[in-house]
């Protein structure tokens, strides 16, 4: 079973455009994996539920697939958005 670092998954899936930004977001405690706070070095596996805080928005996704490289149009196939909600 393949595993990826959290910062790499966020970049490859294009949820966050640059890996340095993904690392910062994770290390600021704005990402959880299956309910646990995650660091940029945390491993992501298929089936994990991630909650990412983007400013005033909370996005919950389920990881469908993990790959080292994907084309832009394939990036959305790596995850499924479960819900998006405004964070007060």
């Amino acid at each position: 079973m393949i595993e990826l670092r959290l910062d790499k998954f966020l970049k490859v899936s294009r949820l966050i455009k640059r890996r340095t930004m993904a690392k910062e977001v994770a290390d600021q405690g704005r990402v959880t994996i299956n309910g646990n706070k995650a660091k940029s070095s945390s491993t992501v596996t298929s089936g994990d539920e991630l909650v990412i805080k983007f400013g005033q928005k909370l996005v919950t996704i389920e990881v469908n697939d993990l790959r080292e490289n994907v084309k832009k149009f394939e990036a959305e196939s790596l995850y499924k958005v479960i819900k998006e909600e405004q964070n007060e």
Side-chain angles (χ1 to χ4, degrees), residues 16-72:
I16 297 179
K17 292 210 184 335
R18 291 190 314 276
R19 189 157 176 188
T20 51
M21 277 297 298
K23 184 176 181 343
E24 283 175 26
V25 167
D27 289 341
Q28 289 169 0
R30 292 166 43 193
V31 182
T32 62
I33 300 175
N34 299 325
N36 302 314
K37 281 207 177 207
K39 295 255 187 264
S40 58
S41 60
S42 301
T43 55
V44 176
T45 57
S46 195
D48 283 350
E49 184 177 281
L50 306 184
V51 179
I52 308 161
K53 184 178 178 191
F54 292 107
Q56 299 303 310
K57 198 161 68 167
L58 277 179
V59 179
T60 305
I61 65 159
E62 182 181 326
V63 178
N64 291 335
D65 193 11
L66 295 171
R67 286 192 252 154
E68 293 282 331
N69 299 308
V70 291
K71 296 196 171 18
K72 192 174 189 176

